[in-house]
Amino acid sequence: MEMFLAPNGERIAAPDGRIMTFGLDEEDNKLVKSALPTKNYELFVTDVPTDLIAISAAAVIINVSALDTDSRGMIFDYYTELGANMDETVFWIGCPKPPHPLRVRFKCYEYFPQLAKNLKYHLLAAHRKVKKSKEFSKKMADCLMILSFIRLKPGIRTQELADKLEVSVRTVQRYISTLQAAGEWIEYDTAKKGWRLQFGISVLFGDHLEDE
């Protein structure tokens, strides 16, 4: 469980993740709660259809019979627009089934007991999927931060970058190699013993387009 500093100065705990359910009865929700991926996960039970797309969760379990036609259409439109970029796992219980393009992304079951047989496994897989996505996003953000620091402070040293991002020196070197492979003209300044952009130009920041 991560700790965050609130605006009032208090430290608050944030759960590792969330599993959301819609339209399940009390006993089904108890079963979902007992199958949460980690002890620091939380179960969020909602009866508001818009919560299903407005609130982030590692997995969403939807009893279709509790949705009206408009709400089903809203969910279909949302996930169709997301396409393959959806991070959460959607468990679709009952009929009508989602449109064919979504059936390859949703996990569809006729009845909740079919999902309940391996519920712990499915929720753990959903947790791992979201965790992997978050780790990728963190790495991407760190790469962009390194590029920004080098651009703003030519000659910045590896250790300083590591301290700013709270990662290892080896990780910084790996991220710089990734940026170089992506086309950024990052080079090592032997005089300053630090990193700089060749000609002060970043491809990502569009510096090479300024004179066009």
Side-chain angles (χ1 to χ4, degrees):
M1 186 172 292
E2 294 186 70
M3 302 297 294
F4 294 90
L5 189 65
N8 62 4
E10 295 182 3
R11 295 189 68 82
I12 57 176
D16 291 342
R18 179 184 298 115
I19 304 296
M20 185 171 1
T21 68
F22 179 91
L24 300 188
D25 61 31
E26 184 177 353
E27 289 303 313
D28 290 345
N29 280 316
K30 285 182 179 178
L31 185 58
V32 174
K33 188 171 183 178
S34 69
L36 294 178
T38 74
K39 65 179 181 179
N40 293 325
Y41 252 70
E42 69 173 11
L43 172 64
F44 184 83
V45 179
T46 183
D47 58 2
V48 181
T50 52
D51 285 349
L52 297 171
I53 63 175
I55 298 175
S56 63
V60 180
I61 304 174
I62 303 172
N63 177 4
V64 184
S65 63
L67 287 173
D68 58 33
T69 302
D70 290 342
S71 297
R72 287 200 304 270
M74 172 191 68
I75 292 171
F76 293 158
D77 289 344
Y78 174 73
Y79 283 109
T80 298
E81 185 176 350
L82 277 184
N85 296 318
M86 57 183 285
D87 292 330
E88 66 271 35
T89 301
V90 178
F91 298 96
W92 191 260
I93 313 295
C95 292
K97 299 293 185 185
H100 284 284
L102 289 178
R103 292 185 194 183
V104 298
R105 301 191 188 106
F106 289 8
K107 296 186 179 298
C108 301
Y109 296 86
E110 294 290 338
Y111 308 102
F112 180 77
Q114 294 175 326
L115 169 62
K117 290 179 181 178
N118 295 296
L119 186 57
K120 183 73 174 180
Y121 166 79
H122 288 304
L123 296 186
L124 184 58
H127 161 68
R128 287 171 175 165
K129 178 183 176 183
V130 169
K131 183 179 179 182
K132 185 176 180 180
S133 176
K134 287 182 178 178
E135 288 173 350
F136 176 79
S137 296
K138 173 67 165 57
K139 290 176 181 178
M140 182 179 292
D142 283 349
C143 280
L144 293 176
M145 287 297 294
I146 287 173
L147 178 60
S148 179
F149 285 134
I150 294 173
R151 182 172 179 263
L152 295 174
K153 188 179 178 182
I156 188 169
R157 298 193 174 192
T158 307
Q159 185 62 60
E160 185 176 353
L161 289 169
D163 292 342
K164 287 180 178 294
L165 272 68
E166 298 182 348
V167 298
S168 68
V169 167
R170 183 69 189 92
T171 297
V172 170
Q173 293 170 331
R174 188 167 63 249
Y175 287 167
I176 289 175
S177 295
T178 298
L179 288 165
Q180 289 170 329
E184 287 295 339
W185 306 326
I186 300 174
E187 61 183 9
Y188 190 75
D189 187 326
T190 55
K192 294 184 177 181
K193 297 186 179 350
W195 300 97
R196 68 182 181 189
L197 286 167
Q198 189 176 18
F199 309 118
I201 292 175
S202 165
V203 175
L204 183 61
F205 281 94
D207 298 327
H208 60 301
L209 303 175
E210 291 183 0
D211 296 330
E212 294 185 4

